[in-house]
Amino acid sequence: MIEIKQLHKYFGKLHVLQGIDLNVNKGEVLSIIGSSGSGKSTLLYCINGLEPIQQGQIMVDGIPVHDAKTDINKLRQKLGMVFQQWNSFPHLTALENVALAPKIVRKMSRDEAKTIAEKQLRHVGLGDKLDVYPSALSGGQQQRLAIARALAMEPAYMLFDEATSALDPELVGEVLDTMRLLAEEGMTMICVTHEMSFARDVSDRVAYFHQGHMEEVGPPAQIFGDPQSPHTRKFLASVR
Amino acid sequence: MSEPISFFSGFQVNDLVFLGEAAGRTLLISAVSITIGTIFGIFFGWSLQASKWLAQTTIGTILDIFRSVPLIIQLILFYNFFPIIGWNTGPFAAGAVVLSIYTAALVANVVRGGIEAVGIPMRRAARSLGMSYWQDLRYVVWPIGLRAVFPSWVGVALSVIKDSALVSVLGYMELLRASQILITRTQEPFIILACAGAFYFALSYPLSKYSQKLEESWTS
Ligand SMILES: Nc1ncnc2c1ncn2[C@@H]1O[C@H](COP(=O)(O)OP(=O)(O)O)[C@@H](O)[C@H]1O
Ligand SMILES: [Mg+2]
């Protein structure tokens, strides 16, 4: 379970997250929507400790992320993250991309790492691209490679930061399908997304972020069908 | 001078051996300086990149000085300065120290560029997989950055081989100094400088050829 309590985050004077309270349960899929600059990415970075926080607390399975005593590298193994830019390691083949972290972080043997990498590449539909370098893959394939790379750490949670925003429109579908597959398999997911149909169809809950606040959170039917906040209504009208 | 093979020029086979030995010394001082300079340069470049303002104001300023003052001035200054601090050193050691610092200053910049070429998002992706800071450096930043700036590093190494000629002002018997001595004796500057040039080429060519091969293997 991910528990966020009274989270405040500043970039210098900029108050980017202004008191976020949010729990994400095991097996739940939460989509976060909201206009650009509202602090959605920053929240994900805070959850896996890539950004420090100034106030409040984030707990992952009861472990405080920003506590100095926490082994953050160990905790991050529970938290897979997929970014807007896929960040494939260009000097490694698809298989090596996925096998690297299991090998050096989880200390797996070469064979074990290879086995899990193959399994996850097949999982995301790249079973025929094992020995291909990222430069020979499309954006959609590279993003699925990034998903496989995160999954190879066998995380308990997956954080997606606009995983489809940098893709050509015709490649969005294959990545969303992969995310949908993970959701069906029961993965706990937090998805920052601009894909409203994904948020509506796949999520258990949808959170709307507005200027550093979580303006509204609830089941998709409520957020999309009967939004309570005027900000949410305005935003939804603008993306439709 | 009375031997038959030394007609006109006075340039003898022996002199070619003499030049060859001098080329060996050019190679030695270059290899030592490039190696030491690269090791320090990697460390300096990393510190410049890792701790923005602290290293920037200390190491950064010092390296800027070494990059901008002409090498020949550095060599003469340090050669005369070392004995003052009680280090009586020959031309090789003095030259190697100065060339190493000079190389380190150039390499530091290259390394910083290499780290920056990898970019924050890539490094965050690596860290998000649970890699430690050092694992990220070793397995992600190093191989990607190296490929990005390897040609610049080769450029630095090649220029250090050429710039090592300046150590001749300290009396170190490397290629240029050996050539000057032969020219004075034989009065045949053309043939001797051509030979010296050929030696410099012979020293540099394997490096540029090998690096080309290496780069090709990376892009495949
Ligand atoms: N590293 C940073 N330094 C300074 N300001 C930042 C940084 N990252 C994000 N911001 C600012 O924080 C705000 C929230 O950014 P972000 O979380 O990326 O928003 P979103 O993902 O919702 O578009 C924006 O105003 C952005 O400019
Ligand atoms: Mg964002």
Side-chain angles (χ1 to χ4, degrees), chain A residues 51 76 88 91 104 153, chain B residues 122 124 127 129 135 139 143:
Chain A
E51 282 289 349
R76 284 193 185 124
S88 326
H91 61 298
I104 65 173
M153 298 305 289
Chain B
M122 181 70 79
R124 287 192 144 177
R127 297 302 304 274
L129 292 167
Q135 286 176 326
Y139 294 100

Side-chain angles (χ1 to χ4, degrees), chain A residues 35-42 45 84 161-162 165 192 194:
Chain A
S35 45
S36 140
S38 55
K40 308 179 299 293
S41 301
T42 304
Y45 288 138
Q84 188 171 339
D161 187 14
E162 295 191 30
S165 294
V192 171
H194 286 302

